[in-house]
Amino acid sequence: MSTDQYLTDEQAVVFGRFVGDPSQAELEQFFYLDAADLEGIVERLGEHNRLGFALQVGTVRFLGAFLSDPLDVPWSVVEYLAAQLGINDPSVIKRYPERVATPNTHAREIRRLYGYGDFTGAVVEDLSEFVYSRAWTHGEGPKALFAHAVAWLRRKRVLLPGVTRLLKSVQAARERAVSELYERLAGAAMVADPGLPGRLLGLLAVDEGDRGSRLEALRAGPVRLSGPALNRALTRVEQVSALGIGAVETSGMPASRLRALARYGVEAKAQSLRRLAEPRRTATLVATVEALSVAAVDDALDLFDALMASKVLGPSKRAAVAARLETPPELEKASAVLARVGRELVSLLEEAGEQVDVARVWARLEKVAARDQITQYADTVGALIPDASGLEGAMRVQVVRRYRTVAPFLGLLATVLPLRATVKGQPVLDALSGLEALRGRRQLHKDDVTEALVPAAWRAAVFGREGVEVDREAWVLCVLEQLRVCLRRRDVFATPSTRWGDPRAQLLDGEQWEQVRDRALTSLGLEGPAAEHLNDRVEVLDSAWRRLTASLEEAGPNGSVRVEPSSTDGRTRLKVDRLDALEIPDSLRELRGQVASMLPRVDLPELLLEVHSWTGFLDAYTHIGQSKARMDDLPRSVAALLVAEACNVGLTPVVAEGHPSLTRARLGHVDANYLRSETHAAANAVLIKAQGEIPVAQAWGGGLLASIDGLRFVVPVRTINAAPNPKYFGQGRGLTWFNAVNDQVAGIGATVLPGTVRDSLYVLDTILNLDGGPRPETITSDTASYSDMVFGIFALLGYRFSPRIANLSDQRLWRATPRGAEDADYGSLNDVARNRVNLARILAHWEDMTRVAASLATGTVRAYDLLRMLSRDGSPSPLGAASTEYGRMDKTIHLLALIDPLEETYRRTTHTQQTVQESRHRLARAIFHGRRGQIYQRYREGQEDQIGALGLVLNAIVLWNTRYTDASINTLREAGNLVDDADIARLSPLGDQHINMLGRYAFTTTPSGLRPLRISPDSAD
């Protein structure tokens, strides 16, 4: 086995060697000399021997091997060790190898003193078991497993063997894990149904008259938004279910391995799957069809939800509003006449006293209008004036007219989907099951329906039609709307499902919860008694109120925050002035101009390849099957595809048929097998780490502050993963790229959302599933991303949620007073602090609140599903209400800090980080310039992959700009220019005037080292 099958030439060459300078953290971890180290070192004669001995100790810890030349180390390592040993002249190390026997003798002593052994005997078997377990659980490729094996040997103090020998050991263990997975999956299929493997193999056949295989037909999800399209989507669910894959027991197999197999099966062509040997072919098909069974259910429910919103409820509401607008003239005329009749009648009744002459009354009224006109106008007003249900009731009458939209899929909706329900949702599910039996019946009676399921807004439509006891079509639409509501609240859920499953079943519970409870709560800082924790939070809130009270008194009546009575309701409110923009000093303006003029001009392809030469981030792209040898010159192909996707220009501009790695066939193969969301995330983690190591990025922040916001894209093709919003998409439909950026300007995570759904439901998922970088402590967002409940969940998870909230003067502020205690006196703010947090409600649900937090932190449940279940579309569950009460304390603490008139740092930091995000979105728009910046991917996976490529290229540009900005600052300082650290902190790596992203693209050259800066600092303008 040659090493270049799994490692690049560079990786093989640097095996067991230093690559650049170790980081400060690595120096402290591996090269710090404790008392035991020093005891063995001081015995050596001569500074050069003591330093050389220490150097070999640190080297073997760091590399896991001794170097043939012990001085083949970065000079920073020598200086770090010399400082600890009190050696003023580190260059004495050059004398260390003068006597060849000394380094060898020292190496043998270090082996004895520190217990280093060789890669022989039981160690080989132990490593094999470790690699096998890792490969079985995570499904990593040979390169990643090789790195883990090296780290394991280093921890176990086993000296590294030769690179080829270690590779063979790692690959043998990996192949054993892979083979076992194939055999167990294929065996499980045979146990479930001996005929199942044959049926699965039949999916790869192409029926007469069809262009693709049966599997390809099942892989094609819905793209149209219509009743017939949903019927086809439900038929797809039925076809996948009929294969019997649900009977295969896969619970004991690692989910990550199954996902990797399924991804390959979904992406690969049927011919490629047919060529696979057994049992791999059957195992791949089992994982693929199991994934398709979940995807088919999710797609069908996505389509049902979007169809009800866009084709039934939305148009009905617009029609009801339009009908209302048409009624005023007729209503005005009838109302005017009836008003006059009413006044005349009141006058007559007052004159007549107790005796009323009916004939006289009518005679007087007929002077106003004829008797039949009065009756007609009364009927007109009765018809035009809405009943108690108002616009909602009128809307439901319009909904009934959309029955034809839902009729095509009624037959399959209740019978095909694997729906389950809670106690609250079960009546709706029962009603859904009974819809099919009502088809064809002309008349329904109240005994045929569940009257309790008919809300007030629906009663007129269901029971109010003249001559009909129950309107069948209205009842059907009423049930479907209730089903949609229950699905969104997760009172009705699908099993199995990824996007519509039951979050309650995914929460830590029972023995599993007891096993991780103490450890999880300790990591979140929630381990103490609930009463003590709440008392601490109440004290923090009380301190925030007192601090603002003192600040207002000190700022006086002319401060930026004042207590004023409202002009509308007379209540006391806080009047908060807008934050003034920071002044730009001349030194900062000059520095920005100097740096911008010094950045080299570069084409985007060259930029990507240059960043790869620094970081190796393109090596994170691995084959989807995890079994292929690495292709020659793969990074160049990947870079070309990233440009094609991120710039939205397609393959034509990046194809170069004369270059083997850039042919259309090669790029098509790499696109299908290497580019996907997981590899984008892995590559992004490398860029995030590299960004955080650059000094100028460290001046911008420590990565502990992050912002989240959405960037909108129009999707002009038919897809169910897009939704309308005239404000952002005009007459079309679109999606939102919801992304997180830290204060070092690195994009650290993202989520793709259909349309412009409420951001607050996704902000937690985005933060809990980051690609890399340090865990942020403070999260900023815009107003759409906040709710009291989100504040509460963030606080439980240990984050400081800091959204930029509009209309600060109108926000409700809360105080908390423990039972039996007197209200604190906040002086002029007492009237503002009139809302009270219900601490008893929090205490009553504390155990479940902490279980929810631990489940989110460990990734067992999706935050979106959980928030849907807790919030119940504005009618929160008891647990949701308790989380909301808890969040009100944290929200008030945030708001009080935000409006402090004497300390603007907190508020300004929030605004600054949101401005960084907006500037980053501007750069993303500049990159994504092709095809008018619109996304033409039809399926969710394709959209996520393309936007993932955009995020990755955006991070690469930011990293490139940051490194050259850092080099420019160093050059300016070396030339004697004074550069203020405060000005450096306000520089930005988000410029693009020097980057060419247009035209055809070349991927043929990569510079050695950094490019020359454009002009000398002395002549910079």
Side-chain angles (χ1 to χ4, degrees), residues 365-429:
L365 295 182
E366 286 180 338
K367 291 181 180 180
V368 177
R371 183 180 301 193
D372 58 344
Q373 279 187 319
I374 293 175
T375 304
Q376 179 185 347
Y377 286 149
D379 292 339
T380 298
V381 171
L384 295 180
I385 293 295
D387 59 14
S389 62
L391 179 61
E392 292 296 312
M395 170 186 165
R396 268 56 182 199
V397 173
Q398 295 289 339
V399 168
V400 177
R401 300 178 182 178
R402 270 79 184 172
Y403 179 79
R404 288 188 177 183
T405 301
V406 303
F409 59 79
L410 286 178
L412 291 176
L413 186 64
T415 58
V416 166
L417 292 174
L419 297 179
R420 304 288 184 271
T422 63
V423 174
K424 289 185 177 181
Q426 191 59 48
V428 174
L429 206 54

Side-chain angles (χ1 to χ4, degrees), residues 415-680:
T415 58
V416 166
L417 292 174
L419 297 179
R420 304 288 184 271
T422 63
V423 174
K424 289 185 177 181
Q426 191 59 48
V428 174
L429 206 54
D430 294 340
L432 177 68
S433 300
L435 291 185
E436 181 63 17
L438 303 181
R439 295 189 70 178
R441 289 184 54 179
R442 295 185 178 181
Q443 293 187 352
L444 296 184
H445 304 288
K446 288 193 175 182
D447 293 341
D448 297 320
V449 303
T450 305
E451 193 169 350
L453 288 181
V454 183
W458 271 102
R459 297 196 71 82
V462 176
F463 301 125
R465 191 153 69 92
E466 187 176 353
V468 177
E469 189 172 346
V470 176
D471 188 302
R472 178 176 63 88
E473 295 180 357
W475 166 247
V476 169
L477 269 301
C478 174
V479 171
L480 293 183
E481 186 189 37
Q482 296 304 306
L483 174 64
R484 179 174 181 263
V485 170
C486 286
L487 280 167
R488 293 170 73 84
R489 293 179 175 179
R490 301 303 189 265
D491 287 334
V492 174
F493 50 88
T495 305
S497 171
T498 299
R499 297 191 291 274
W500 296 93
D502 180 16
R504 287 161 289 254
Q506 298 163 6
L507 291 174
L508 294 169
D509 199 10
E511 183 179 349
Q512 183 187 23
W513 168 231
E514 292 301 323
Q515 289 176 350
V516 303
R517 185 181 187 278
D518 292 342
R519 186 171 64 253
L521 295 186
T522 299
S523 68
L524 294 172
L526 303 173
E527 70 276 14
E532 290 183 11
H533 176 83
L534 278 187
N535 285 338
D536 291 342
R537 298 302 300 166
V538 169
E539 288 182 9
V540 173
L541 177 58
D542 178 69
S543 298
W545 276 112
R546 295 183 186 279
R547 188 163 48 251
L548 182 61
T549 302
S551 294
L552 289 178
E553 291 177 357
E554 185 175 346
N558 296 322
S560 60
V561 180
R562 300 170 299 282
V563 180
E564 297 179 355
S566 171
S567 59
T568 55
D569 57 11
R571 286 190 169 187
T572 301
R573 282 184 167 82
L574 288 173
K575 178 67 174 179
V576 184
D577 293 342
R578 293 175 62 90
L579 195 64
D580 294 332
L582 279 176
E583 292 185 5
I584 301 178
D586 292 340
S587 60
L588 174 58
R589 188 174 286 107
E590 181 181 1
L591 179 61
R592 285 175 174 173
Q594 287 176 319
V595 171
S597 66
M598 294 171 72
L599 297 182
R601 300 191 185 280
V602 64
D603 289 342
L604 182 58
E606 296 174 349
L607 183 151
L608 294 180
L609 293 175
E610 185 174 355
V611 170
H612 172 65
S613 71
W614 305 338
T615 64
F617 80 105
L618 297 178
D619 291 332
Y621 288 88
T622 55
H623 192 275
I624 194 171
Q626 294 288 356
S627 60
K628 300 285 185 180
R630 191 166 183 84
M631 301 176 69
D632 292 335
D633 207 11
L634 179 62
R636 199 174 307 276
S637 302
V638 173
L641 289 167
L642 289 176
V643 169
E645 292 277 80
C647 293
N648 203 28
V649 294
L651 287 181
T652 299
V654 301
V655 167
E657 292 297 343
H659 199 291
S661 61
L662 298 175
T663 64
R664 186 173 291 273
R666 164 71 173 258
L667 294 179
H669 172 79
V670 173
D671 188 23
N673 291 283
Y674 289 85
L675 267 69
R676 54 193 185 277
S677 57
E678 304 95 88
T679 50
H680 286 329

